[in-house]
Amino acid sequence: MRRPTRTEPAAGQESVWDYPRPPAVEPVHERVVVRLGGVVIAETTAAVRVLETSHPPVYYLPMAELELRPADGSSMCEFKGRARYFDVVSGDTVAPRAAWNYPNPEPGYEVLRDMVAIYPSAMDSCEVGGEVVQAQDGDFYGGWITSKVVGPFKGGPGTLGW
């Protein structure tokens, strides 16, 4: 399958096709807020985001910000290492396998050791700098889409061959 045409970013935007491979990790300076079960379960200015070619940014929050319960399964990222999964808990509300982290990340990704990524589709809402994010189609990568990023984005149906 042919890769689709890159969307040209407008002023103040970035194209995911300009992100590097292997991925880069950078601090997030905006406030990140996550809601589940009708309440704020995390609010931080200490998030980071992982930027990888063709993928919307994946936001990682300090693990201490969330109530997490270990979940079954793991996965492997060729760059970051082996991930473990968590249920995200908010009172009586549980989002199963809605978060993951890299307890022993590969060199260059050590900052992710005590951070956790969250699937925005499993939350009531996730915000970056006051903007509610859109969950990436397909959820495989867990990307957070804001008005500041343009695609097309890999991850949805029909994009595997890009």
Side-chain angles (χ1 to χ4, degrees):
M1 169 180 268
R2 264 184 59 225
R3 184 171 87 185
T5 305
R6 169 188 183 272
T7 301
E8 191 63 32
Q13 291 183 317
E14 53 194 33
S15 170
V16 298
W17 292 95
D18 296 333
Y19 292 163
R21 187 168 171 89
V25 180
E26 67 176 28
V28 175
H29 301 292
E30 297 96 349
R31 181 169 302 284
V32 175
V33 179
V34 178
R35 290 179 179 80
L36 179 64
V39 299
V40 172
I41 61 167
E43 185 170 358
T44 186
T45 56
V48 299
R49 64 184 191 149
V50 173
L51 310 174
E52 183 174 356
T53 306
S54 77
H55 306 188
V58 177
Y59 284 74
Y60 288 74
L61 287 67
M63 290 181 77
E65 294 280 327
L66 297 151
E67 184 178 345
L68 302 169
R69 189 170 60 203
D72 290 336
S74 66
S75 61
M76 185 68 184
C77 171
E78 65 184 302
F79 303 112
K80 297 180 289 289
R82 182 157 303 281
R84 63 181 173 177
Y85 289 83
F86 298 93
D87 298 339
V88 179
V89 181
S90 174
D92 293 335
T93 304
V94 177
R97 284 181 52 93
W100 72 96
N101 100 307
Y102 296 93
N104 299 299
E106 293 294 324
Y109 298 95
E110 295 88 354
V111 68
L112 301 178
R113 182 179 322 278
D114 297 317
M115 306 292 276
V116 63
I118 298 171
Y119 288 111
S121 63
M123 302 295 111
D124 294 347
S125 67
C126 297
E127 297 175 13
V128 177
E131 179 182 353
V132 176
V133 306
Q134 175 187 342
Q136 176 182 13
D137 284 344
D139 240 1
F140 180 79
Y141 301 105
W144 295 32
I145 301 172
T146 67
S147 61
K148 294 181 181 177
V149 296
V150 296
F153 306 111
K154 185 174 181 177
T159 64
L160 184 61
W162 290 3

